Amino acid sequence: QVTLKESGPGMLQPSKTLSLTCSFSGFSLSTSGMVVSWIRQPSGKSLEWLAAIDWDGDKYYNPSLKSRLTVSKDTSNTQVFLKITSVDIADTATYYCARAEVYYSGWDYWGQGVMVTVSS
Amino acid sequence: DVVLTQTPPTSSATIGQSVSISCRSSQSLLDSDGNTYLYWYLQRPSQSPQLLIYLVSKLGSGVPNRFSGSGSGTDFTLKISGVEAEDLGVYYCVQGTHDPPTFGGGTKLELK
């Protein structure tokens, strides 16, 4: 059974660094083709793809945010991390991690999302 | 970035009615490898999105066959043949042909 779960600080102040963790089970990120992405959704709005890391350790970033994003994974291939530096109010959103078995298959499993509020 | 425009923004349907949602792209989504990376997701209230359709017309695992996708180039359609209560929520089209992947603005399906 594939599951993903995001965790994060809940609330943080502007200019700080946001650290998110995606913990998953039921698959391994070392499996050829596997990709885990980070996607966010401000309340009541559409979604925005942020970053991804694949089975081979290759990393992909949204160019509009690339300078502020770092995606990584742990050596056991059961967790993926996302750091966003210099957060501001516009980064307030629900953050999801989602997996794709291969690059063309779509995000077939999603976490429940973690809400992050940036506020002073 | 590629802009995906979904119409209508809101659709009202009765149970059993068929509905169609349009997704128009600002650029062709036909990739040089011959694939068209266009996807459809449903986000039910207070839930995470779920995959319905990948590569324009391929049904995701466990997705009922009342859902179908079609289209090419810049114009795509999701059709629900016989809406059921569990289909209510917001539908998003997503493109993966051009970097970065982008989402449409969403179409909310409501009960009439």
Side-chain angles (χ1 to χ4, degrees):
Chain A
Q1 181 189 3
V2 173
T3 63
L4 301 95
K5 186 173 184 179
E6 306 86 351
S7 57
M11 182 178 288
L12 73 166
Q13 294 178 327
S15 80
K16 301 297 186 183
T17 295
L18 171 61
S19 295
L20 298 169
T21 299
C22 173
S23 302
F24 52 86
S25 62
F27 70 97
S28 174
L29 191 45
S30 62
T31 300
S32 178
M34 202 71 71
V35 184
V36 172
S37 290
W38 286 96
I39 297 156
R40 70 180 179 182
Q41 184 176 35
S43 180
K45 297 187 177 181
S46 186
L47 299 108
E48 179 181 33
W49 177 84
L50 300 175
I53 188 165
D54 72 12
W55 64 282
D56 206 22
D58 290 330
K59 303 170 184 181
Y60 308 87
Y61 296 102
N62 190 319
S64 67
L65 292 159
K66 184 175 182 177
S67 64
R68 299 173 51 213
L69 301 178
T70 304
V71 65
S72 60
K73 61 187 176 97
D74 72 335
T75 54
S76 66
N77 286 294
T78 59
Q79 288 186 315
V80 170
F81 311 100
L82 181 70
K83 290 189 187 297
I84 306 177
T85 60
S86 304
V87 298
D88 77 355
I89 293 173
D91 295 308
T92 295
T94 296
Y95 287 77
Y96 297 98
C97 59
R99 81 133 202 203
E101 261 192 306
V102 289
Y103 69 95
Y104 59 80
S105 62
W107 300 298
D108 58 348
Y109 286 92
W110 295 62
Q112 63 191 24
V114 61
M115 192 174 299
V116 175
T117 302
V118 179
S119 174
S120 56
Chain B
D1 294 0
V2 171
V3 176
L4 298 179
T5 302
Q6 290 184 233
T7 54
T10 304
S11 180
S12 297
T14 56
I15 300 300
Q17 184 179 351
S18 292
V19 300
S20 291
I21 299 169
S22 171
C23 176
R24 180 162 291 178
S25 175
S26 61
Q27 299 179 39
S28 175
L29 299 184
L30 177 62
D31 193 80
S32 56
D33 66 5
N35 287 320
T36 298
Y37 298 94
L38 188 282
Y39 307 82
W40 290 96
Y41 292 84
L42 164 61
Q43 186 173 33
R44 297 188 177 102
S46 300
Q47 292 189 18
S48 305
Q50 64 175 93
L51 178 67
L52 297 175
I53 301 283
Y54 66 101
L55 295 178
V56 179
S57 60
K58 298 183 184 301
L59 219 55
S61 176
V63 176
N65 60 12
R66 63 179 178 273
F67 291 94
S68 61
S70 63
S72 63
T74 60
D75 289 298
F76 302 91
T77 301
L78 174 72
K79 182 176 180 180
I80 311 171
S81 300
V83 168
E84 298 191 6
E86 65 181 20
D87 300 338
L88 304 183
V90 181
Y91 289 81
Y92 294 99
C93 58
V94 182
Q95 69 81 24
T97 299
H98 303 281
D99 285 327
T102 50
F103 291 76
T107 293
K108 186 175 184 180
L109 180 61
E110 302 176 326
L111 267 183
K112 190 181 292 183

